[in-house]
Amino acid sequence: ADEKRHETAYTKIVEKLFEIDPDGTILGLADMMKKKISMPAHLMYDGQDDNLFEHFSTVAQRLGIYTAKDYADILEFLVERWNVETLSGLSSEGHRAQDFVCGLPTRIRKIEERAQGRAKEAAKNIPFSWTFGRNIRA
């Protein structure tokens, strides 16, 4: 429920920003997406595994818990919800940012397809301390 409230607030805030300043908002959104969003969990550490988040996210991706496809779906939903494709009155830089943001879901899906292929080839067992060191297939 908490995550849903965050999603609703963020969606409505950005929606309003697009109404007030479409050029500045699309430039900010594109800049944020170019810099990549890191999950707060990237800092998690169990006192044993220096690559814990990488291992955790690999397992989550492989098991289908949260995948790059999910990320692309969310981004596609937001681009549609905010009518990013139909924004008007943008500067030339704003149009480039619009093209970049609108093309991201497709790019992410292509990357995800390649990553899935590599993940299957490089599958290995990873122990997690919170599963008492039991190996989880990545």
Side-chain angles (χ1 to χ4, degrees):
D2 200 32
E3 284 299 317
K4 183 63 178 169
R5 285 190 293 273
H6 288 138
E7 174 198 340
T8 300
Y10 179 74
T11 301
K12 288 181 178 182
I13 289 167
V14 175
E15 197 169 78
K16 190 63 174 176
L17 288 170
F18 271 120
E19 286 177 27
I20 296 169
D21 181 11
D23 199 60
T25 304
I26 193 63
L27 290 171
L29 179 59
D31 183 58
M32 179 183 70
M33 297 308 294
K34 286 177 184 174
K35 291 179 179 171
K36 303 199 173 82
I37 299 169
S38 17
M39 300 297 286
H42 82 279
L43 298 172
M44 73 179 174
Y45 181 63
D46 64 355
Q48 299 174 32
D49 186 353
D50 291 332
N51 300 309
L52 183 60
F53 181 72
E54 179 185 331
H55 293 149
F56 176 76
S57 61
T58 299
V59 170
Q61 169 83 16
R62 184 165 176 88
L63 294 174
I65 295 167
Y66 183 74
T67 68
K69 180 194 176 305
D70 296 319
Y71 185 69
D73 289 346
I74 292 166
L75 186 53
E76 188 172 65
F77 167 79
L78 292 172
V79 165
E80 186 176 314
R81 165 82 187 255
W82 295 328
N83 300 308
V84 175
E85 289 184 21
T86 61
L87 291 175
S88 59
L90 301 177
S91 64
S92 60
E93 191 178 353
H95 280 292
R96 284 191 298 277
Q98 180 184 37
D99 291 342
F100 171 76
V101 170
C102 290
L104 275 175
T106 302
R107 288 178 54 205
I108 292 167
R109 283 191 177 90
K110 287 179 183 174
I111 291 167
E112 195 262 343
E113 288 170 11
R114 288 193 302 265
Q116 284 290 0
R118 285 192 302 270
K120 287 177 184 171
E121 292 172 11
K124 60 182 176 182
N125 292 326
I126 299 173
F128 287 105
S129 62
W130 66 81
T131 61
F132 304 103
R134 191 178 98 218
N135 286 328
I136 308 295
R137 188 165 171 82

